[in-house]
Amino acid sequence: MSGREINSSPKAPAFSDYIMILGAVTIWGGSFASTKYALAELTPTMVMALRMLFAVPALASGCLADRSLRLPNRREFLTLLLLGFQGIFFHQAIQAWAMQTAGAGNANWMMVASPALVALLGWIFLREKITLAGAAGIVISAAGVLLVLALGTVKETAEAASFGTAGDWVILFSVLNWAVFLILSRYLLRDGICPSFAIFWEVFFSTIFALILTLTAGSDWSAVSRLSAGTWGSLFFLGAFSSGLAYLLWYRGLSVLPVAKLIVFQFLQPVAGMVISYLLIGERYTLWLALGAVMIITGICLVNKKQPAA
């Protein structure tokens, strides 16, 4: 399969596509905590460069699996270079920097704004319509996320931080940046380019940008030899899974689903993050978590409800 052998006609999403999307948001649910962990021993630039070095082989494997690994042509090169900078390198750079001061909880709260923003931009720039039921689904899912984040866990202590740090504002900006990236990526994929081919080269270019940044910033690469096993595990998860497998699964979903129907699945990310917290640190839940999860799933079903033929 070449990098452009996807049929330009719309492909109906299969059940496996939804499973892949769920896999991506589940992996991303643990990314904020993993980034926080790695930042205890490394600078943001080093975290980003090392995770990218883990991501490239993972994505190359995806290209090899569907026979789409090749060099981009001149037109593709510039597009993928720019998207790699804006949506991967710049996005992860500002998030890694922001997580030094932003609370992981605040970061999840602000992701609630992303689906509505993406749906609006998709309607404006891609002419992708959203029904009244779909709009209601976004609202219901957002309310479910707010319920999960506010009341879903047993709070042992009062929250140590409130919104207002520089990192919080940067995370908020990253939500807008992510929305723009999804719209541009959807436009690219509708043009017939292979998802695994596109995301591989975007991450490849972003890796080059990240390595250049570490050199210009005077990063101490000798720190790598002193990293703990836990930090290496966090970097591997961030690279091979969060920046590798999850991006590949997400891009495949983006190739068959309108952005408004895809992005609403990201409402499940905080729930996945809480489950991961339970498995790692034994965080306790309340019944509000179950109710919030039901609201989120209901909203997702409404957004993705198949419309009757005219």
Side-chain angles (χ1 to χ4, degrees), residues 171-249:
I171 288 290
L172 188 59
F173 172 74
S174 77
V175 172
L176 173 61
N177 186 69
W178 177 246
V180 173
F181 173 66
L182 288 181
I183 296 302
L184 294 175
S185 297
R186 173 65 175 167
Y187 184 82
L188 174 69
L189 294 173
R190 288 204 316 189
D191 193 36
I193 199 166
C194 180
S196 56
F197 168 82
I199 194 61
F200 167 76
W201 282 107
E202 288 171 10
V203 171
F204 180 85
F205 289 134
S206 72
T207 304
I208 295 175
F209 291 134
L211 291 174
I212 292 173
L213 180 60
T214 62
L215 295 175
T216 57
S219 299
D220 180 16
W221 279 89
S222 66
V224 172
S225 63
R226 302 187 295 272
L227 296 180
S228 66
T231 297
W232 277 117
S234 294
L235 291 171
F236 180 78
F237 173 81
L238 288 169
F241 288 90
S242 186
S243 293
L245 179 60
Y247 268 119
L248 180 61
L249 297 177

Side-chain angles (χ1 to χ4, degrees), residues 252-266:
R252 289 186 183 277
L254 189 60
S255 68
V256 297
L257 279 175
V259 287
K261 292 189 174 185
L262 176 73
I263 192 63
V264 73
F265 282 90
Q266 206 160 346

Side-chain angles (χ1 to χ4, degrees), residues 114-126 128 130 138 183 260:
S114 185
L117 181 59
V118 169
L120 177 62
L121 293 177
W123 175 67
I124 295 173
F125 294 104
L126 299 175
E128 292 182 345
I130 184 165
I138 291 177
I183 296 302

